[in-house]
C-alpha cells in the first residue's frame, strides 16, 4: 500500500516534469531518491508529557517581559495582563467549568467534564502527569510535543544542529517553526484525529462546531503570540493558508477514515453517517419559504444531500494549484484520491463505511505525500522572498473558484453552501493581510470588509440564519467585485 | 377563496382544451382498430391502464349537469348529477397535471412555490437521450399529478400492436385531466355502465367489490385512497411507486403535511354525505372526530408501508437514498442554531426524530389513548427502531417492524370505522396528550391543533363555539415561539 503510493507519486512527478518545461519544478527527491511519504509531525509521539509549570521558571521561558524572548510562558498565560490579549489555549481547561460545559455534561450524561477524558484530550495536555497538571489547559507540551526526551536536550549544545526530522523522530519535539508540522499539530484538536473528535452529539449538546483555518486562527486579534514569525510577509501568510488547507483536509480525511472504520467494524456507538463531518448549514438552514438557494447544478452533489467537509474541501484546489508560487521547487499535486473520496461521499447519504474507509485511507496518503513535499521545501527555504503579486494571483483564483457560469452565461455562486463561501472568503482575507492590508492593497479594504459582513452570522445566532437567495446574490456580487479588481490590475489567471 | 377557485377553473378550462385536442388527434388511430387484430381479453397487457377518463363521466345526463348548488355549499341527492362539474370547476386535483407542464417562463402560482420546471432543473434527472427529463415525463411526478395508473411506464412505450398503441396514445392524452375520477373511484371500465343501475342502499358493498369500484363511502377506504399520494405508497399492480422524497423537497416541492380531516374539509365537495352502505354515517354526530382519527391512523399505516418499501429498494437505486431524510421530522435538522446554548428540540439532542405520525407516535410522551394501546405495540417497536439508535437504522432492520406496525394500524383503522360514533369520539378525545411544555416544533403542534379543530367541528350547533381557536391558529401559522403556541393549545384540550 505504502509502496504503491510512493510509486504513484514518483510517476506523478515524472509526468509533471515531462509535461511542464516552464513553471514549477517537480518535487525534489529526498536524499534516498524518493520523497518522504509522510510529513513529520502527525499524531503525538509516545513520550511522557511534562507539566507546563516546568517550562515557566524565570530563567527559562517565564521571564517578566511580555512579548520578549525568555518570557514565552508569561506571554502565553493570562497572568500578567488578565484583561488584555493572551493565548486562549491557557483557558482551555477552565472553560470546562462554565455554564455551557456544565449543561453539555448534563445532556451527555457526563458528571464532571473537567475529569472526562473525552474533554481533556483537547482541553488540556493529553495524559499529562501529575493529573492535576491538566489545570494548565492546552499547555506547552500540547503543541511542542511531550518533553520527556527533549526537556534537557533542547538547551544543550548540539540541539540547534539537529534537523527538524531528528528532533521529531528522536526526541518527540514538534518543530513548530515548520508550518506543516505546526498546522498538523493544530489540526489534531481543531479538526480531530482517530483519537480526538468533536462529533455531532457534542455539538448538539452545545459545543461550538469546529472550523479550522490556519491563517485565520493565526490572525485572531485576541491571540497574543509568544513567538516571532521568521518567515517574511507575504510568504508567511500565503504559506500558512496553503499549508492550513492541506493540513485541515488531511485531518478531515483521517477523521473520516477512523469513523468509517469504527462503523464498518459494527461499533454500536459509532454514528454513521456522522453529521459533524457534513456541512452544518446544508441541514441547519431556513426552509419553508420556497426559497431555493442553489442556482442550478454547479456544486457536484445532488440536491438534498449534505456535502462532506465542505469547509476543508472548498478552497483546497486553489492551494494545490498555486502552492508552487510560494514553495520553490514544488509542482502542483493532482489530488485524485481526494476527488474520488468526495465522489464516494456524495454518492449517497450513508455510503458504505468500508468503501469510505478504504478511499479515505488513500486520500490521507495522497495528502501526506503533498504535505511532505511542502514540508521539505519549507525546510530547504525557510524564509523565502515572494513578490506581492502572488497574493493577487491567489485572490484571482479564489474568486474564480467561488464563482461559476450557469448555462445561460450568468455568473452564479459555484457552491452556495456557507462553508464554501466562507472558505473562499477567508482565503481572500488572508491574501489581503499577506499583501500588507490596507497599506499594501488599499483598494481591497472595502471589498474584503463588505464580503465579510455579508457572511457574518446575525446577532445571537450560530448559523447563517436568514441568508436567503437575495443575501446570496449579495455574496456573489461581493466576489465579483474582487474579480473586477483583478481584471483591472491584469493578473494572469489560470494555472501557473 | 373565490379567486383561488377562479384560478383553478381557468387552469381546468385550459386543460379541457388540451384534453380534447389530444382526444381528437387520437381518433384516426382508433379507426385503425377496425383493421388491426381483435382486442385481447381484458383489453390490456402487463398492467397498461385502460381508463375511461374524466370525459366519460361528464356527460350532461350523468355527472355533468350544472353544479351551482353544490359549489355554493348546498348538497343533496342531486349533487351527484353535478359531481363532475363541481370537480372541474373547483377541485385542486383538476390542475395537478397542468402544474407539471410549467416552462421556464411560467410564473410561480405563489411566491413561495417553485414551479415544476424549477424543481426538475435542480433535480437534474436526464432522459435516455441525455436531455432534461421534464416533470411530465417523469414517472415519479406523474404518479401523483395525474391518475396514478396513467403514470405506468408502458404508456410511453411504443408497441407493434396497433390496438395497444392506440390505447396508449389515448392514455397519454388522459393525463392532462389531472387526478381524475378514476384516481379515487377506481378504474371505471367495468362499472361505468352497471353503476347507473344500482339503486337503493342494500347490496352496495357487494356491487362495489364485484365491479372494482372503490368504496369511498367507507371513511377508512377514503382516507387510504388519499394517503396513497398525500403520504406515498409502494408500487402496486399497474401503479408505479408514489414517493415524494427529500431530494424532491430539497429541489422545491412542498413537504407533504397531510391531515385527512383538514384536507377533507377544505376540498370543494362534489358528493353528498349521508348514511349509506353498512351504516357508514359520514355526516352525523361524531363524523368529524371519526374522520380525523381514522385519517391519522391511515396516515400512519401509509407512512409505515412507504418506509418498509424505501428500505427494501436496492442500494443501486439512485432515486432511493438511505437514510431517506423525508422520513424524519423536518425541524429536527432544519432549525436555526442559536448562539447561546442548544436549541430546544424534541427527542434526543443531535439525533433525528422519525416523522410524527401523531397521535400514533407522540412527541409529548405517552398519551393514554394511543401510546399505551396494547394493539399498537408493534408501532412502538418501530418508533424505537427509528429513534433510539445512535446510528441510522440500516435498510435491513426497518422493513419487518414497519410492516408489522402497518398491519396493526390497518386493524385499528378497520375497528375505528365500524365502532359506534360515541366510542370513536371518546377515543379521539383520549388520544390528546397532556401538553406539559416539552420542547416541540411545527409538526406535532400543527397536528394537535388540527385534531382539536376537528373535535370542535363536531360541536352541537346549539352550543356556543369554544373560544381560543383563532389565537391558536395564529400562533401556529406564525411558527415562531413554540412554548407560546403550546400555551394557546392547552385551554382547547378536551
Amino acid at each position: 500500500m505504502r509502496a504503491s503510493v510512493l510509486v504513484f507519486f514518483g510517476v506523478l512527478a515524472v509526468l509533471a516534469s515531462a509535461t511542464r518545461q516552464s513553471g514549477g519544478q517537480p518535487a525534489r527527491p529526498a536524499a534516498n531518491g524518493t520523497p518522504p511519504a509522510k510529513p513529520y509531525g502527525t499524531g503525538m509521539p509516545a513520550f511522557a508529557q511534562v507539566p507546563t509549570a516546568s517550562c515557566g521558571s524565570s530563567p527559562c521561558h517565564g521571564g517578566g517581559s511580555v512579548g520578549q524572548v525568555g518570557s514565552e510562558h508569561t506571554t502565553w498565560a493570562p497572568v500578567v495582563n488578565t484583561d488584555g490579549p493572551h493565548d486562549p489555549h491557557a483557558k482551555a481547561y477552565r472553560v470546562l467549568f462554565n455554564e455551557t460545559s456544565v449543561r453539555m455534561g448534563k445532556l451527555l450524561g457526563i458528571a464532571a467534564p473537567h475529569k472526562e477524558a473525552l474533554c481533556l484530550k483537547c482541553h488540556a495536555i493529553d495524559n499529562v502527569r501529575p493529573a492535576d497538571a491538566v489545570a494548565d489547559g492546552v499547555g506547552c507540551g500540547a503543541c511542542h510535543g511531550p518533553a520527556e526526551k527533549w526537556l534537557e536536550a533542547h538547551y544543550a549544545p548540539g540541539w540547534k544542529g539537529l534537523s527538524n526530522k531528528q528532533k521529531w523522530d528522536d526526541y518527540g519535539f514538534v518543530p513548530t517553526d515548520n508550518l506543516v508540522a505546526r498546522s498538523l499539530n493544530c489540526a489534531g484538536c481543531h479538526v480531530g484525529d482517530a483519537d480526538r473528535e468533536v462529533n455531532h452529539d457534542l455539538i448538539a449538546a452545545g459545543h461550538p462546531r469546529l472550523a479550522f483555518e490556519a491563517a485565520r486562527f493565526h490572525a485572531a486579534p485576541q491571540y497574543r503570540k509568544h513567538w516571532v514569525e521568521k518567515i517574511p510577509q507575504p510568504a508567511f501568510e500565503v504559506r500558512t493558508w496553503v499549508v492550513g488547507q492541506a493540513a485541515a483536509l488531511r485531518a478531515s480525511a483521517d477523521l473520516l477514515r477512523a469513523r468509517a472504520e469504527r462503523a464498518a467494524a459494527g461499533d454500536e456507538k459509532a454514528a454513521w453517517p456522522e453529521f459533524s463531518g457534513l456541512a452544518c448549514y446544508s441541514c441547519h438552514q431556513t426552509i419553508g419559504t420556497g426559497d431555493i438557494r442553489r442556482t442550478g447544478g454547479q456544486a457536484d452533489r445532488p440536491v438534498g444531500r449534505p456535502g462532506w467537509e465542505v469547509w476543508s474541501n472548498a478552497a483546497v484546489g486553489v492551494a494545490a494549484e498555486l502552492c508552487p508560487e510560494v514553495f520553490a521547487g514544488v509542482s502542483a499535486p493532482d489530488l485524485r484520491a481526494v476527488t474520488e473520496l468526495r465522489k464516494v461521499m456524495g454518492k449517497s447519504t450513508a455510503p458504505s463505511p468500508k468503501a469510505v474507509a478504504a478511499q479515505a485511507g488513500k486520500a490521507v496518503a495522497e495528502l501526506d505525500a503533498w504535505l511532505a513535499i511542502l514540508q521539505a521545501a519549507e525546510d530547504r527555504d525557510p524564509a523565502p522572498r515572494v513578490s506581492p503579486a502572488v497574493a493577487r494571483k491567489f485572490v484571482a483564483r479564489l474568486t474564480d473558484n467561488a464563482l461559476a457560469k450557469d448555462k445561460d452565461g450568468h455568473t452564479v455562486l459555484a457552491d452556495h453552501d456557507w462553508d464554501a463561501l466562507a472558505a473562499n472568503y477567508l482565503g481572500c482575507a488572508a491574501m489581503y493581510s499577506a499583501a500588507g492590508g490596507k497599506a499594501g492593497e488599499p483598494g481591497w479594504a472595502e471589498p474584503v470588509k463588505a464580503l465579510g459582513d455579508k457572511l457574518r452570522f446575525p446577532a445571537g445566532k450560530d448559523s447563517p440564519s436568514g441568508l436567503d437567495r437575495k443575501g446570496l446574490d449579495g455574496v456573489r456580487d461581493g466576489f465579483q467585485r474582487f474579480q473586477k479588481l483583478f481584471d483591472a490590475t491584469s493578473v494572469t489567471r489560470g494555472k501557473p | 377563496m373565490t379567486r383561488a377557485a377562479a384560478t383553478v377553473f381557468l387552469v381546468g378550462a385550459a386543460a379541457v382544451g388540451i384534453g380534447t385536442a389530444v382526444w381528437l388527434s387520437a381518433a384516426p388511430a382508433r379507426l385503425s382498430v377496425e383493421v388491426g387484430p381483435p382486442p385481447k381479453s381484458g383489453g390490456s397487457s402487463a398492467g397498461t391502464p385502460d381508463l375511461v377518463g374524466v370525459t366519460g363521466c361528464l356527460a350532461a345526463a350523468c355527472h355533468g349537469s350544472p353544479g351551482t348548488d353544490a359549489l355554493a355549499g348546498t348538497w343533496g341527492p342531486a349533487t351527484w348529477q353535478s359531481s363532475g362539474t363541481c370537480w372541474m370547476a373547483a377541485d385542486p386535483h383538476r390542475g395537478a397535471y397542468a402544474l407539471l407542464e410549467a416552462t421556464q417562463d411560467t410564473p410561480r402560482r405563489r411566491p413561495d412555490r417553485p414551479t415544476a420546471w424549477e424543481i426538475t432543473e435542480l433535480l437534474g434527472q436526464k432522459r435516455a437521450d441525455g436531455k432534461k427529463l421534464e416533470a411530465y415525463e417523469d414517472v415519479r411526478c406523474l404518479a401523483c399529478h395525474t391518475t396514478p395508473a396513467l403514470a405506468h411506464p408502458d404508456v410511453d412505450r411504443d408497441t407493434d400492436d396497433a390496438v395497444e398503441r392506440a390505447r396508449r396514445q389515448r392514455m397519454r392524452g388522459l393525463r392532462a385531466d389531472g387526478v381524475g375520477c378514476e384516481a379515487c373511484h377506481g378504474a371505471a371500465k367495468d362499472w361505468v355502465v352497471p353503476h347507473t343501475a344500482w339503486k337503493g342502499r342494500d347490496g352496495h358493498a357487494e356491487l362495489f367489490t364485484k365491479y372494482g369500484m372503490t368504496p369511498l363511502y367507507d371513511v377508512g377506504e377514503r382516507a387510504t385512497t388519499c394517503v396513497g399520494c398525500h403520504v406515498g405508497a409502494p408500487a402496486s399492480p399497474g401503479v408505479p411507486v408514489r414517493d415524494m422524497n427529500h431530494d424532491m423537497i430539497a429541489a422545491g416541492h412542498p413537504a407533504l403535511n397531510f391531515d385527512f380531516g383538514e384536507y377533507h374539509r377544505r376540498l370543494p365537495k362534489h358528493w353528498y354525505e349521508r348514511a349509506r352502505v353498512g351504516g357508514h354515517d359520514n355526516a352525523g354526530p361524531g363524523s368529524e372526530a371519526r374522520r380525523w382519527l381514522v385519517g391519522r391512523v391511515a396516515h400512519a399505516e401509509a407512512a409505515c408501508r412507504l418506509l418498509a418499501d424505501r428500505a427494501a429498494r436496492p442500494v443501486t437505486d439512485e432515486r432511493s437514498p438511505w437514510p431517506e431524510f423525508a422520513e424524519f421530522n423536518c425541524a429536527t435538522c432544519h432549525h436555526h442554531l442559536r448562539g447561546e446554548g442548544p436549541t430546544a428540540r424534541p427527542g434526543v439532542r443531535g439525533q433525528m426524530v422519525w416523522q410524527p405520525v401523531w397521535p400514533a407516535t407522540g412527541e409529548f410522551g405517552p398519551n393514554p389513548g394511543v401510546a399505551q394501546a396494547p394493539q399498537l405495540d408493534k408501532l412502538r417497536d418501530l418508533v424505537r427502531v427509528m429513534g433510539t439508535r445512535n446510528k441510522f437504522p440500516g435498510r435491513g432492520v426497518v422493513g419487518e417492524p414497519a410492516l408489522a406496525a402497518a398491519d396493526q394500524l390497518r386493524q385499528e383503522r378497520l375497528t375505528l370505522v365500524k365502532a359506534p360514533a360515541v366510542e370513536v369520539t371518546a377515543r379521539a378525545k383520549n388520544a390528546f396528550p397532556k401538553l406539559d411544555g416539552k420542547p416541540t416544533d411545527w409538526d406535532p403542534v400543527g397536528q394537535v391543533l388540527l385534531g382539536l379543530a376537528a373535535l370542535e367541528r363536531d360541536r352541537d350547533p346549539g352550543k356556543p363555539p369554544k373560544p381560543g381557536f383563532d389565537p391558536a391558529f395564529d400562533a401556529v401559522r406564525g411558527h415562531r415561539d413554540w412554548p407560546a403556541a403550546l400555551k394557546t393549545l392547552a385551554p382547547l384540550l378536551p
Side-chain angles (χ1 to χ4, degrees), chain B residues 371-458:
Chain B
Q372 289 155 13
Q375 73 274 23
L376 292 177
D377 58 332
K378 300 283 185 204
L379 180 64
R380 290 195 293 278
D381 288 347
L382 175 63
V383 172
R384 267 193 295 278
V385 169
M386 290 300 286
T388 54
R389 292 164 63 113
N390 193 21
K391 252 192 274 199
F392 280 101
R395 284 178 192 261
V397 301
V398 170
E400 208 172 298
L403 287 177
D407 288 344
Q408 281 193 336
L409 285 158
R410 177 175 177 276
Q411 208 49 52
E412 181 77 350
R413 164 168 61 83
L414 296 176
T415 310
L416 286 169
V417 167
K418 291 268 192 253
V422 183
E423 192 189 319
V424 174
T425 302
R427 284 179 67 173
K429 285 182 176 169
N430 201 22
F432 285 90
K434 285 192 174 57
L435 303 176
D436 54 4
K438 276 193 182 162
T440 186
D441 57 49
W442 198 90
D443 279 10
V445 171
Q447 289 181 7
V448 169
L449 177 59
L450 292 177
L452 292 170
L455 293 189
E456 169 65 8
R457 282 195 294 275
D458 264 340

Side-chain angles (χ1 to χ4, degrees), chain A residues 99-100 103 107 200-201 203-206 262-263 266-273 275 278 280-292 294-297 302-306 347-351 407-408 460-463 465-466 469, chain B residues 104 108 111-115 117-119 121-124 132 245-248 250-253 315 317-325 330-343 348-352 389-393 479:
Chain A
E99 198 190 334
T100 304
R103 188 173 46 217
L107 291 167
H200 191 260
D201 287 352
I203 299 171
R262 283 200 289 269
D267 180 349
E268 279 297 308
K269 283 183 187 157
W272 189 261
F275 286 146
L278 306 176
C280 304
Y281 316 118
S282 51
C283 294
H284 297 298
Q285 61 170 304
T286 319
I287 51 160
T289 57
D291 175 37
I292 309 176
R294 184 181 284 197
T295 34
V303 284
R305 318 257 175 103
K347 222 174 258 172
S348 91
T349 38
K407 61 183 179 190
D408 301 322
K461 293 275 167 30
D462 233 1
S463 60
S465 134
R469 186 70 172 265
Chain B
Q104 189 162 10
R108 292 184 177 188
D112 59 349
R113 288 275 185 270
T115 66
W117 185 87
E118 291 178 84
I119 293 169
E121 275 290 298
L122 286 177
L123 267 180
K132 177 190 171 188
N245 68 6
H246 187 262
D247 287 354
M248 288 159 114
H253 193 287
V315 278
D317 179 355
E318 289 197 353
R319 296 192 77 173
S320 298
W322 190 267
E324 171 52 64
F325 291 146
C330 308
T332 50
C333 293
H334 294 297
H335 59 84
H336 295 319
L337 304 172
R338 291 182 182 85
E340 282 305 309
T343 327
V348 181
R349 262 160 232 277
Q351 288 191 17
M352 297 174 86
R389 292 164 63 113
N390 193 21
K391 252 192 274 199
F392 280 101
H479 55 82

Side-chain angles (χ1 to χ4, degrees), chain B residues 28-334:
Chain B
R30 281 176 64 79
L31 288 177
S32 72
V33 170
E34 308 299 328
V35 292
K40 285 174 201 153
S41 172
S44 175
S45 66
T48 319
D50 191 7
L51 301 190
V52 167
V54 169
T55 43
C57 312
L58 248 74
C62 299
H63 298 291
S65 67
T68 325
D69 286 348
L71 285 170
T74 310
W75 295 276
T79 302
W80 292 112
Q81 282 143 37
S82 57
S83 294
T85 321
C86 293
W87 179 86
M88 200 63 122
D91 196 299
H93 295 96
R94 178 73 186 97
Y97 179 82
L99 296 175
L100 300 187
E101 291 194 320
T103 65
Q104 189 162 10
D105 303 322
T106 309
R108 292 184 177 188
R109 278 187 315 148
R110 271 166 48 180
D112 59 349
R113 288 275 185 270
T115 66
W117 185 87
E118 291 178 84
I119 293 169
T120 45
E121 275 290 298
L122 286 177
L123 267 180
Q125 293 290 322
K126 296 273 184 274
R127 303 194 316 203
D129 62 4
K131 287 190 184 137
K132 177 190 171 188
L133 184 72
E134 299 287 353
Y136 52 81
E137 298 167 327
D138 188 342
V139 178
R140 275 284 175 102
C141 305
L142 285 169
C144 286
H145 280 264
T146 184
T147 301
L150 294 173
H152 196 289
D154 277 357
V155 172
D156 293 304
R157 290 195 183 111
D158 202 8
T159 168
D160 292 336
D161 180 341
V163 178
E164 181 62 16
R165 192 185 316 124
R167 179 178 26 247
R168 289 178 185 183
Q169 190 172 359
R170 196 169 70 80
M171 291 305 121
R172 285 199 289 278
L174 292 185
R175 284 175 178 168
D177 290 337
V179 179
C181 314
E182 289 163 290
C184 306
H185 294 278
K189 191 167 60 75
D190 293 332
W191 52 259
V192 66
V193 175
H195 89 289
T196 57
W198 300 347
K199 297 266 188 279
R201 295 181 181 189
D202 297 331
H204 261 54
E206 292 73 21
L207 289 167
F208 272 69
T209 311
K210 182 177 170 192
Y211 289 98
M213 194 174 187
T214 312
L216 295 177
Y217 55 79
D218 176 328
V219 69
E221 291 294 328
R222 197 184 292 180
T224 303
T225 304
C226 297
V227 295
C229 280
H230 286 279
V231 175
S236 55
V239 179
V241 65
R242 288 174 282 173
D243 181 353
M244 210 288 298
N245 68 6
H246 187 262
D247 287 354
M248 288 159 114
I249 301 171
H253 193 287
L256 302 180
N257 289 320
F258 187 61
D259 182 274
F260 175 66
E262 180 64 12
Y263 276 51
H264 189 277
R265 188 179 72 78
R266 287 173 175 238
L267 203 61
K269 283 183 185 47
H270 59 262
W271 64 92
Y272 173 48
E273 301 281 18
R274 57 180 165 166
R276 225 177 141 168
V277 188
H280 285 283
D281 183 0
N282 294 329
S287 53
E288 291 277 2
R290 189 195 302 269
R291 240 187 319 268
W292 170 73
L293 189 55
V294 167
R296 295 248 51 108
V297 171
H299 187 147
E301 180 191 340
C304 292
R305 295 202 192 282
L306 181 62
L307 170 61
D309 188 58
R310 281 168 169 167
R313 289 186 216 142
V315 278
T316 47
D317 179 355
E318 289 197 353
R319 296 192 77 173
S320 298
W322 190 267
E324 171 52 64
F325 291 146
E327 283 291 340
F328 299 88
N329 180 349
C330 308
T332 50
C333 293
H334 294 297

Side-chain angles (χ1 to χ4, degrees), chain B residues 456-457 459-470 492:
Chain B
E456 169 65 8
R457 282 195 294 275
R459 181 173 49 86
D460 180 344
K463 279 202 283 185
K466 202 170 186 174
F469 273 96
D470 287 347
L492 303 174

Side-chain angles (χ1 to χ4, degrees), chain A residues 97-115:
Chain A
F97 294 89
N98 73 14
E99 198 190 334
T100 304
S101 299
V102 170
R103 188 173 46 217
M104 281 180 63
K106 271 189 195 152
L107 291 167
L108 294 165
I110 295 171
H114 62 283
K115 290 181 187 164

